[in-house]
Amino acid sequence: GNSVTQMEGPVTLSEEAFLTINCTYTATGYPSLFWYVQYPGEGLQLLLKATKADDKGSNKGFEATYRKETTSFHLEKGSVQVSDSAVYFCALSDFGGGSQGNLIFGKGTKLSVKP
Amino acid sequence: EPEVTQTPSHQVTQMGQEVILRCVPISNHLYFYWYRQILGQKVEFLVSFYNNEISEKSEIFDDQFSVERPDGSNFTLKIRSTKLEDSAMYFCASSKRDRGSQPQHFGDGTRLSIL
C-alpha cells in the first residue's frame, strides 16, 4: 500500500542553520507529493508541492525535489528563522493508484528554531 | 484568500453522545474531505465527498460516522455514539478537483474531547 515515512523529530536548530527533513514514500501509481506545515494552534497549510519526477517545489525559502529513483521528497531550507518553528508533514496523493486523491501523511516532524 | 472554516474549535462530549462537526469549504471547491489526528499520531484520511455522495472512505469511517452537505455551503461530520477513542483533532479540507495534483486546503480543525 501507499505510505510516507518522515524522519523522527523533534529537530532543534539555531537561527540561520540549514534544515533538512527527510521524507520517503511508497506508492503504486504516480503520486503527487506535498509538504504541509502546521503552526502552533493552527490548521494544516500547504507549503509546497511537486506533481511529477524531477519537479522542484519551492515556497518561503523552502525547497523539495521529487526524486523518483530514490522515492524521496526531502524538505530543505538554507537559513531557518524562529518563525519557521512548526510541525512539518510530508504527504502524497496517489490518484492514479486507485485512490480518489485522498492524502496520505507522514507522522510529522516538529521543528524548533532558537534565536 | 478564501479559507476553510470549522466550528466549533473545541467540542467536549460525554461518551455515547452524538456529535456534529461543521465545516464551510471554500466556495468554488467541489471535493470535500475529513481527516483526523489522534494526539501524537499521524493525520489519517476518513472520507471524501463529491456530488452529494461519498467517493471514498477509510477503514476508520465505520457505521458510526456519516457526512452530509445539508445546504450549499456546509459540510458536516456526524459521530452517532462517541467512544473515548474518537478523541482527536478533526480536519476538514476541500479542493477544486480530485486529481492528485490539486492541493487540498485545510481548516484549523475541531478538537473533540470525549469524556
Side-chain angles (χ1 to χ4, degrees):
Chain A
N2 300 331
S3 65
V4 174
T5 303
Q6 290 183 233
M7 63 185 285
E8 295 284 332
V11 174
T12 302
L13 296 173
S14 297
E15 211 165 19
E16 299 183 4
F18 183 84
L19 168 72
T20 300
I21 300 178
N22 289 339
C23 172
T24 57
Y25 67 90
T26 58
T28 54
Y30 302 94
S32 295
L33 302 173
F34 304 86
W35 277 100
Y36 280 83
V37 58
Q38 185 177 31
Y39 298 103
E42 298 184 16
L44 297 162
Q45 300 176 25
L46 178 68
L47 181 60
L48 54 84
K49 69 172 188 176
T51 58
K52 60 183 187 296
D54 300 325
D55 268 2
K56 178 187 282 188
S58 61
N59 185 25
K60 299 181 182 179
F62 291 88
E63 293 183 341
T65 301
Y66 188 142
R67 301 280 187 208
K68 193 173 180 183
E69 64 276 14
T70 55
T71 61
S72 65
F73 192 55
H74 304 322
L75 183 68
E76 296 182 337
K77 186 174 185 181
S79 176
V80 294
Q81 306 300 312
V82 172
S83 56
D84 294 326
S85 298
V87 181
Y88 292 81
F89 293 91
C90 186
L92 72 81
S93 179
D94 190 13
F95 183 81
S99 153
Q100 296 300 310
N102 56 281
L103 289 167
I104 296 168
F105 286 89
K107 287 188 174 181
T109 302
K110 183 175 182 180
L111 170 67
S112 296
V113 180
K114 307 298 184 187
Chain B
E1 187 174 329
E3 292 181 343
V4 175
T5 57
Q6 290 185 243
T7 56
S9 57
H10 191 188
Q11 174 81 45
V12 181
T13 301
Q14 292 288 331
M15 187 172 61
Q17 296 296 305
E18 175 183 283
V19 66
I20 298 175
L21 309 182
R22 302 181 192 280
C23 169
V24 178
I26 294 173
S27 61
N28 64 346
H29 285 188
L30 300 177
Y31 295 84
F32 314 116
Y33 308 84
W34 283 101
Y35 293 82
R36 78 171 185 192
Q37 184 182 27
I38 295 172
L39 188 64
Q41 298 187 24
K42 287 186 181 185
V43 178
E44 301 172 293
F45 167 73
L46 293 179
V47 65
S48 58
F49 190 88
Y50 168 70
N51 199 26
N52 283 321
E53 62 182 24
I54 290 172
S55 49
E56 190 175 11
K57 60 183 181 180
S58 72
E59 293 176 352
I60 303 167
F61 194 88
D62 62 21
D63 292 345
Q64 293 299 310
F65 291 87
S66 62
V67 289
E68 193 178 31
R69 188 153 164 82
D71 53 42
S73 59
N74 289 284
F75 179 50
T76 62
L77 174 69
K78 182 193 289 186
I79 308 175
R80 266 180 265 282
S81 178
T82 50
K83 303 186 282 288
L84 292 176
E85 54 264 39
D86 293 327
S87 295
M89 181 73 88
Y90 288 80
F91 292 104
C92 174
S94 68
S95 66
K96 285 184 180 178
R97 293 182 293 178
D98 69 345
R99 291 288 163 178
S101 61
Q102 291 294 314
Q104 295 176 23
H105 297 260
F106 284 77
D108 284 347
T110 293
R111 181 169 297 285
L112 177 62
S113 299
I114 306 301
L115 304 179

